[in-house]
Amino acid sequence: MTTPKFLSDKFRHLRTDTPLHDILVSIALLAFGTVLCVLTRKATQNLLNTSFIYLMIVVAIARFTTGYLYGILASVISIMSINCFFTYPYMRINFTLDGYPIAFFSMLVISSITSATTTNLKAQTRIRIKQEKQLAIAEKEKMRANLLRAISHDLRTPLTAISGNAGILMENASVLDAAKRRHLYTSIYDDS
């Protein structure tokens, strides 16, 4: 998931792998979920919708935070919120409601599975990114070595000719006539 440019520039300094980030994401999503539940509760008067909204929020928290803790904690808070704010008697925690233990256990299992899955996917993604970086470095090193080999080969041929002609001139300059020396000088100049 990519962040829009105007947001990424504004919040560039916030790291996404810190506990503060995870806490803020959890609080924001739980608050959003609660507001959404209040709005849908007034419109539909159906507790099942409330449970599904909180379940979506728990899955989102598990997805956008690191580790298991935030997803499991969000599931506990969600069950408590449903019990306190959306079931009679309101503003009281009542553990004796029909189906409450099953709902509580179900949300814990779902959040644990989702947290485990997303944590595993994030770890695999980190490993894949690291491998891709290592592969890119190896590819770059291979290209560098090939370039150096090609340059070395391209320089070796004229340098061999220059060295050979310079050696002939150094050892036999007095024996060679002016035309031969001129030809060797021209060859050295052309090869260089």
Side-chain angles (χ1 to χ4, degrees):
M1 186 171 125
T2 59
T3 306
K5 177 138 176 63
F6 69 94
L7 284 178
S8 64
D9 290 345
K10 192 170 193 172
F11 299 105
R12 185 180 315 124
H13 63 284
L14 293 177
R15 291 180 44 190
T16 59
D17 59 347
T18 62
L20 178 62
H21 171 268
D22 293 341
I23 291 168
L24 291 175
V25 165
S26 299
I27 290 171
L29 286 172
L30 283 169
F32 173 73
T34 302
V35 168
L36 195 59
C37 287
V38 167
L39 295 174
T40 58
R41 181 80 171 154
K42 287 182 180 180
T44 64
Q45 294 296 320
N46 188 347
L47 188 60
L48 191 58
N49 292 339
T50 302
S51 298
F52 283 130
I53 290 171
Y54 271 112
L55 187 58
M56 282 188 325
I57 296 303
V58 167
V59 169
I61 288 171
R63 163 61 182 91
F64 293 110
T65 58
T66 305
Y68 305 99
L69 175 68
Y70 300 100
I72 292 171
L73 201 58
S75 121
V76 171
I77 291 170
S78 296
I79 288 293
M80 302 292 252
S81 297
I82 291 169
N83 188 283
C84 184
F85 301 128
F86 301 104
T87 56
Y88 187 80
Y90 299 109
M91 299 303 188
R92 291 200 181 129
I93 302 293
N94 185 359
F95 292 106
T96 61
L97 293 173
D98 188 33
Y100 184 78
I102 293 172
F104 184 74
F105 181 73
S106 298
M107 285 190 78
L108 277 177
V109 167
I110 290 170
S111 66
S112 297
I113 290 170
T114 305
S115 295
T117 303
T118 56
T119 300
N120 189 20
L121 286 174
K122 288 175 188 176
Q124 288 176 358
T125 301
R126 277 197 258 8
I127 289 169
R128 191 186 82 238
I129 289 170
K130 185 178 178 183
Q131 288 173 340
E132 287 174 0
K133 285 181 181 177
Q134 289 173 341
L135 185 63
I137 290 170
E139 193 65 34
K140 186 176 178 181
E141 186 61 33
K142 182 180 175 184
M143 191 183 333
R144 182 180 154 278
N146 287 340
L147 179 65
L148 285 175
R149 233 179 271 118
I151 290 172
S152 172
H153 180 268
D154 288 347
L155 289 176
R156 200 174 294 138
T157 302
L159 284 176
T160 303
I162 291 171
S163 175
N165 289 336
I168 292 171
L169 282 171
M170 284 174 45
E171 293 174 10
N172 302 318
S174 60
V175 180
L176 298 172
D177 62 10
K180 275 273 200 208
R181 282 194 309 258
R182 180 84 175 143
H183 174 70
L184 291 173
Y185 289 139
T186 305
S187 286
I188 290 172
Y189 180 78
D190 289 343
D191 286 339
S192 67

